[in-house]
Amino acid sequence: MDRNPSPPCSDAEEEEGDAVGNTVYSKHWLFSVLTRLIEVIAPAEPDPAASPGRARAELDEEMENDICKVWDMSMDEDVALFLQEFNAPDIFMGVFAKSKCPRLTEICVGILGNMACFQDICMSISKDENLGQVLLQRLCDSDSPTLLETSRLLLTCLSQPEVANVWVERIRENPSVYDCVCFIMSSSTNVELLVKVGEVVDKLFDLDEELMLNWIKSGTCRSVGPSVDDSPEELPDFKIVPCILEAAKQVRSDNPEGLDVYMHILQLLTTVDEGIQAIVQAPDGGKDTWSLLYDLVCQELCQPDDPPIIVQEQKTVLASILSVLSAMFASQTEQEYTRMRKSKSCYFLFFLYMPLIGSLIRILQYMEGCGKRAADNSKESEQEETGRTDVNEEDFHLKILKDICCELLSNMLQELTKENTLEGLHQGHLNEQTCSCAFQNLLPLYFASVESFLEVLREADQTLADNLEKRFPSLKVHT
């Protein structure tokens, strides 16, 4: 059976006054389905063998088919309003409280999610404190489809400015949400669910720094979490960063958009000191975070065999990754971990410098190519307002990426030794072309970094250093 069968053919047009709004759907049919739903969760003659107060765990095929049709129909605003007037949210509350059928719970949350797409209904759902608390409890469900629909509903509500703060406050006051979200991120293999939960976390952190700080500091209290039976299960002592990393590893191959979401979450963490410390002072000293991001930049994204235009497609995820790497690098440098860099326990070892520097320069090279292409497109579409707007937006995002890339590159160049530089020359990461690209983008803002690197380069390859001085006369003046 399809998850969402097509809405039913209706004779509503032949029955005056029976149509729902401007649709062809029948009020009588909808009413009958909701009435049957009430009977499912509150049967007239309970089965003595069943658990007290609990509806049966399975839906019959006809009922499932009909309620799925309602799910599809609820995407129509007139239908959603009719369901609201019929107090469907209260009926669904009964489902959540009494039903042991995961499929029924999933469908009811899904219908609420569709209804919440309409502002007035979303406000009504959001202001219902009891319904809000019950929906947050669904995050502790053990059923992945239900978790997916719950996450979709929460994201819909958080995306409505009129009610977003209501949900942020509700989540902030409910510590179990943190544990349930971390449990999902750290243990689920359902990529679709991980992406949607990531979008919820990303939205929460973007909306409220206080909540983000609370979650960064969390992980010391225990709370009740998902369980396969009626007995509460104590969750592990979660920390936010390892959970984010685990989810990112799950989605990285199958869902580029999901990877983008989780990298942006990490970037948001680095906007506060507590977030940076949570990353670099993890039990592994930040090694897992650095290793994942390093591998993404050096092995997967914007590779030598990719066309330069790839930087356009990957600009947001690259900006997030490089921003986190830059914050980590600067943090470790400021904390005088220099002596640890030659230790195998430190994540940014000398021999790893050059591949990353090579990747940063390649990104800058690709952006130069995209910049020329954008300029050509701008001339061709000079008379088209929409075209100019698109180009300007692309330029803006590329500028952000360039700024982040240059900052990290300048910091890394300052740390290079003669040995690192010789290795970079040997591996092909450094040559006149790549160094010229780096200098072109770093000067004049990062003059001190370029000058420092040039001094080291002179010890490793005097001829290359001389050639670069000739191409960039401002450097020769200061030497």
Side-chain angles (χ1 to χ4, degrees):
M1 178 186 297
D2 293 336
R3 180 164 295 278
N4 293 333
S6 299
C9 296
S10 173
D11 297 327
E13 291 178 313
E14 299 178 6
E15 301 177 22
E16 186 177 354
D18 186 50
V20 177
N22 294 319
T23 73
V24 296
Y25 305 134
S26 167
K27 290 180 182 179
H28 177 76
W29 184 86
L30 277 168
F31 181 86
S32 68
V33 174
L34 292 175
T35 301
R36 286 159 54 207
L37 179 59
I38 294 173
E39 294 172 353
V40 167
I41 60 175
E45 298 181 2
D47 182 356
S51 300
R54 293 286 183 173
R56 61 182 179 272
E58 297 295 333
L59 280 175
D60 63 67
E61 185 175 348
E62 181 182 0
M63 184 62 199
E64 180 174 353
N65 188 49
D66 285 346
I67 196 68
C68 278
K69 290 175 182 177
V70 176
W71 189 359
D72 265 352
M73 293 162 63
S74 63
M75 291 187 290
D76 186 288
E77 185 172 8
D78 287 335
V79 174
L81 288 170
F82 176 82
L83 293 172
Q84 176 76 1
E85 292 170 4
F86 193 76
N87 295 322
D90 291 339
I91 298 174
F92 299 153
M93 282 267 286
V95 171
F96 303 148
K98 298 180 180 180
S99 175
K100 293 190 69 175
C101 175
R103 176 64 170 149
L104 181 58
T105 302
E106 173 206 354
I107 295 169
C108 290
V109 177
I111 294 172
L112 278 175
N114 283 349
M115 294 171 65
C117 293
F118 306 104
Q119 183 177 334
D120 290 343
I121 300 177
C122 186
M123 291 180 66
S124 176
I125 292 173
S126 300
K127 291 178 180 179
D128 187 329
E129 186 62 28
N130 290 332
L131 180 57
Q133 293 297 334
V134 168
L135 287 172
L136 290 184
Q137 291 172 12
R138 293 300 94 212
L139 287 173
C140 294
D141 206 295
S142 59
D143 181 59
S144 291
T146 299
L147 289 171
L148 177 61
E149 292 306 318
T150 304
S151 301
R152 186 173 72 88
L153 170 57
L154 289 177
L155 184 62
T156 299
C157 294
L158 289 169
S159 300
Q160 297 266 10
E162 298 80 9
V163 299
N165 288 339
V166 173
W167 286 98
V168 169
E169 184 65 26
R170 188 173 286 149
I171 291 170
R172 191 192 299 136
E173 294 176 352
N174 194 330
S176 67
V177 173
Y178 167 85
D179 288 299
C180 292
V181 167
C182 285
F183 182 83
I184 294 168
M185 292 193 296
S186 62
S187 62
S188 179
T189 57
N190 185 319
V191 171
E192 189 178 5
L193 172 59
L194 288 172
V195 173
K196 194 58 64 177
V197 167
E199 290 175 344
V200 170
V201 175
D202 188 41
K203 191 67 176 178
L204 284 171
F205 286 3
D206 195 37
L207 286 170
D208 192 80
E209 185 175 293
E210 181 184 346
L211 183 143
M212 181 172 71
L213 287 169
N214 289 342
W215 283 24
I216 291 171
K217 298 171 184 175
S218 292
T220 56
C221 60
R222 321 295 280 188
S223 63
V224 175
S227 177
V228 295
D229 52 29
D230 291 334
S231 303
E233 177 181 311
E234 196 173 69
L235 290 173
D237 190 17
F238 288 117
K239 297 291 186 182
I240 190 68
V241 173
C243 296
I244 293 170
L245 293 179
E246 187 60 37
K249 292 173 185 176
Q250 285 289 333
V251 305
R252 63 185 289 187
S253 300
D254 298 325
N255 196 299
E257 292 77 14
L259 179 64
D260 199 343
V261 168
Y262 280 99
M263 293 303 99
H264 190 254
I265 295 173
L266 284 177
Q267 183 182 7
L268 287 174
L269 292 182
T270 64
T271 60
V272 294
D273 289 340
E274 293 86 347
I276 297 174
Q277 297 310 310
I279 294 173
V280 301
Q281 293 183 3
D284 64 356
K287 183 178 178 180
D288 280 353
T289 304
W290 182 274
S291 297
L292 173 62
L293 304 188
Y294 175 93
D295 192 48
L296 288 170
V297 174
C298 296
Q299 304 296 329
E300 293 189 21
L301 300 174
C302 204
Q303 294 301 294
D305 55 349
D306 289 327
I309 195 65
I310 195 70
V311 78
Q312 286 278 18
E313 299 176 14
Q314 300 174 349
K315 57 185 177 295
T316 56
V317 68
L318 282 170
S320 295
I321 292 172
L322 297 184
S323 181
V324 177
L325 289 173
S326 184
M328 294 179 70
F329 191 90
S331 175
Q332 295 287 21
T333 301
E334 290 171 6
Q335 295 180 38
E336 298 182 352
Y337 284 175
T338 306
R339 71 182 190 283
M340 295 176 60
R341 292 182 192 152
K342 294 181 181 179
S343 167
K344 292 183 180 180
S345 64
C346 185
Y347 53 72
F348 47 92
L349 302 173
F350 272 167
F351 73 87
L352 294 178
Y353 269 32
M354 295 319 307
L356 182 52
I357 287 177
S359 294
L360 294 175
I361 295 174
R362 181 167 60 253
I363 292 170
L364 291 173
Q365 289 174 320
Y366 283 8
M367 280 193 287
E368 287 180 353
C370 288
K372 294 176 182 178
R373 178 172 178 172
D376 293 340
N377 290 340
S378 181
K379 292 178 182 178
E380 293 175 3
S381 60
E382 196 172 33
Q383 304 302 320
E384 298 178 15
E385 188 66 30
T386 302
R388 288 204 302 272
T389 301
D390 292 343
V391 169
N392 290 336
E393 184 177 351
E394 293 293 341
D395 288 347
F396 173 75
H397 289 296
L398 285 175
K399 183 180 184 305
I400 292 176
L401 175 58
K402 178 181 176 181
D403 290 345
I404 297 171
C405 189
C406 286
E407 180 182 6
L408 178 56
L409 180 59
S410 68
N411 288 336
M412 297 193 74
L413 288 180
Q414 281 188 309
E415 299 296 324
L416 289 182
T417 65
K418 177 182 177 181
E419 291 73 20
N420 303 146
T421 305
L422 285 170
E423 186 66 20
L425 292 167
H426 175 71
Q427 294 175 353
H429 297 299
L430 295 179
N431 52 49
E432 188 167 346
Q433 181 184 16
T434 58
C435 289
S436 294
C437 176
F439 287 12
Q440 183 70 40
N441 285 278
L442 294 177
L443 293 172
L445 184 60
Y446 297 101
F447 182 88
S449 296
V450 174
E451 189 176 40
S452 172
F453 168 65
L454 192 60
E455 287 297 319
V456 175
L457 182 60
R458 187 173 286 107
E459 297 179 26
D461 190 328
Q462 180 69 51
T463 301
L464 177 56
D466 290 341
N467 290 341
L468 290 170
E469 281 187 338
K470 293 177 182 178
R471 297 190 64 170
F472 298 90
S474 60
L475 292 172
K476 193 170 185 179
V477 172
H478 291 79
T479 56

